[in-house]
Amino acid sequence: MPETSPVSSPDRSVLLDHVSIRFGNFTAVDNANLKINSGEFFSFLGPSGCGKTTLLRCISGFSEPTEGRVLIGAKDMKGVGPNKRPTALIFQHLALFPLMSVADNIAFPLEVRGVGKKMRRKRAEDLLDMIALPGIGDKKVSELSGGQKQRVAIARALAVEPDILLLDEPLSALDLKLRQHMRTELRAIQQQVGVTFIYITHDQGEALTMSDRVAVMSKGVIEQVGAPDQIYNRPRSSFVASFVGENNALKGIVKVQSEDMAALETPMGTFEARVGGGRKYKPGDEALLFVRPEQLVPGKAENAFQATLSRQEFEGATNHVFARAGDTDLRISMVNGGLAGSVGSTGDTMSLGFAPMNATILPVGQIASEA
Ligand SMILES: Nc1ncnc2c1ncn2[C@@H]1O[C@H](COP(=O)(O)OP(=O)(O)OP(=O)(O)O)[C@@H](O)[C@H]1O
Ligand SMILES: [Mg+2]
């Protein structure tokens, strides 16, 4: 091969091939089957206890699947221990050494591997540049802010040049402002290093803003995998529709389906909407219609109905309006158009409607708030 040929970039993909993980009779992860692409920022999103950490431990080699295989870079990882895998893991609670200097913390995994002092120092300095904290190598970890510690933990995980970085809710200990700031930082670091990031969170805002793709999990089952906008706009199950973002759910009976549109008879009226997840219904089937608060529009003629205004919450740019129609409580959000945007007062009747394309009919199933 000629010397000038470019070095081919490593295969940093992860394949979960029908992975199930059981503890006794309890199934913590049920038949996870998906591929995470090389260089992707991929998130697993789901409520507490749905099996996220269990799955991550299995990718990192701290446990083995009960059934199925984990392949990293197309290689079967069966029997390959955590130290032998091209992965690094950042835990929910980062374990930095508080009395060691920042540089020694970052270089610690290299010291364990027998890398010489000069090389370690150089690598630590390069990584500090990358996380935008140049020159702080001699500070003690105890002297850093929460966000700085977070970045140092990422630098330390990247010190050994993993192909895959596994992050288990790494921002959960930070306050809201810092968490939001760190989203942008994490995404920037990921794009710079080109390492595959597998990120675990129960915070949908984090998952949607940072990720190329998201897997939504509930009770060990991966309900849907897709780009953030697909997950939000094209949910395939009632759990995904209700867990990701706010949603109104109306129960009803399918009257008729024509390709990907159907009419649903609800106590509030008969409404037309898109059929989610390529399902087929027969007349008389029970189903749920999901319509997001921002899709309920006052005065709209399509899918029109009457509701009574219960209360309003002013939140700067948005007005959150709560209304009741029959025995259904609805959430409506309206962009605040200044004083002219007032929708009325408690007890007023409102005419509302929504476009059929902006609502989704899904099979009756688990609603996230009831989980
Ligand atoms: N070693 C174990 N033995 C028995 N059950 C376990 C074990 N580890 C996890 N579980 C169970 O598996 C389920 C999934 O746990 P896991 O820690 O993966 O959840 P999680 O999604 O990471 O939740 P959180 O967001 O709270 O961290 C839980 O019901 C938990 O009790
Ligand atoms: Mg966890």
Side-chain angles (χ1 to χ4, degrees):
M1 205 184 277
E3 270 181 8
T4 49
S5 77
V7 182
S8 66
S9 61
D11 180 354
R12 293 167 163 159
S13 67
V14 176
L15 180 70
L16 302 177
D17 177 19
H18 299 277
V19 168
S20 292
I21 306 165
R22 282 188 254 284
F23 300 109
N25 289 332
F26 177 75
T27 303
V29 175
D30 191 358
N31 196 22
N33 191 38
L34 59 89
K35 186 178 179 194
I36 298 163
N37 298 318
S38 210
E40 195 169 26
F41 197 126
F42 191 96
S43 296
F44 287 95
L45 169 67
S48 184
C50 74
K52 305 181 296 293
T53 298
T54 304
L55 191 53
L56 207 68
R57 284 173 54 82
C58 194
I59 298 171
S60 63
F62 287 102
S63 71
E64 291 277 351
T66 318
E67 274 167 37
R69 299 183 304 160
V70 174
L71 282 79
I72 298 180
K75 287 197 200 78
D76 192 343
M77 288 291 123
K78 190 173 169 58
V80 180
N83 296 331
K84 297 279 191 296
R85 296 194 183 189
T87 54
L89 179 59
I90 299 183
F91 292 96
Q92 222 150 347
H93 300 282
L94 5 141
L96 293 173
F97 307 113
L99 298 177
M100 256 190 211
S101 75
V102 167
D104 286 347
N105 261 281
I106 294 174
F108 183 73
L110 299 175
E111 193 178 343
V112 172
R113 291 180 184 207
V115 175
K117 193 166 180 182
K118 227 171 142 185
M119 278 285 288
R120 295 203 306 263
R121 183 73 204 191
K122 169 82 176 69
R123 181 88 180 116
E125 277 170 8
D126 288 348
L127 285 161
L128 282 169
D129 284 346
M130 192 205 57
I131 58 167
L133 292 174
I136 67 153
D138 291 326
K139 279 200 173 185
K140 295 256 183 306
V141 162
S142 55
E143 296 171 297
L144 303 182
S145 73
Q148 289 171 333
K149 282 183 195 154
Q150 196 64 52
R151 280 185 269 174
V152 169
I154 292 163
R156 187 176 63 175
L158 291 171
V160 294
E161 300 183 57
D163 288 333
I164 292 136
L165 187 61
L166 306 165
L167 304 104
D168 192 348
E169 311 222 20
L171 306 185
S172 55
L174 306 180
D175 67 46
L176 180 67
K177 264 261 163 8
L178 195 49
R179 254 184 359 243
Q180 288 175 338
H181 174 70
M182 283 303 296
R183 290 177 189 174
T184 322
E185 299 269 314
L186 268 177
R187 180 70 183 162
I189 292 170
Q190 190 264 340
Q191 291 190 323
Q192 197 179 334
V193 293
V195 164
T196 305
F197 273 37
I198 303 182
Y199 192 91
I200 275 185
T201 182
H202 60 262
D203 181 328
Q204 41 154 322
E206 273 177 20
L208 297 182
T209 49
M210 290 191 288
S211 316
D212 295 307
R213 284 189 306 153
V214 179
V216 183
M217 279 182 89
S218 166
K219 299 180 177 169
V221 174
I222 293 173
E223 296 252 332
Q224 185 170 352
V225 181
D229 65 315
Q230 280 179 319
I231 297 282
Y232 188 82
N233 293 318
R234 296 283 182 265
R236 296 178 66 92
S237 73
S238 60
F239 178 80
V240 175
S242 53
F243 185 72
V244 181
E246 298 284 346
N247 230 327
N248 297 295
L250 314 178
K251 205 170 189 168
I253 305 286
V254 175
K255 292 194 75 173
V256 59
Q257 177 173 357
S258 149
E259 290 174 24
D260 57 351
M261 300 300 287
L264 195 77
E265 189 179 343
T266 79
M268 288 158 50
T270 298
F271 301 127
E272 226 190 304
R274 263 184 355 94
V275 170
R279 313 277 176 152
K280 292 272 177 285
Y281 297 93
K282 298 187 301 294
D285 284 347
E286 272 203 335
L288 288 168
L289 183 152
F290 286 93
V291 56
R292 295 209 181 267
E294 67 270 23
Q295 303 296 355
L296 287 174
V297 183
K300 193 162 184 80
E302 294 165 291
N303 288 332
F305 63 95
Q306 304 276 308
T308 307
L309 202 156
S310 315
R311 67 194 164 88
Q312 289 187 71
E313 285 170 8
F314 172 76
E315 197 198 68
T318 312
N319 260 333
H320 300 288
V321 181
F322 299 83
R324 206 168 160 78
D327 57 1
T328 307
D329 286 311
L330 297 170
R331 232 189 128 100
I332 306 150
S333 60
M334 293 176 194
V335 175
N336 202 338
L339 293 176
S342 173
V343 288
S345 33
T346 302
D348 284 359
T349 299
M350 311 168 73
S351 297
L352 294 164
F354 56 94
M357 282 310 291
N358 294 336
T360 309
I361 293 174
L362 290 164
V364 176
Q366 189 197 357
I367 300 284
S369 57
E370 296 168 356

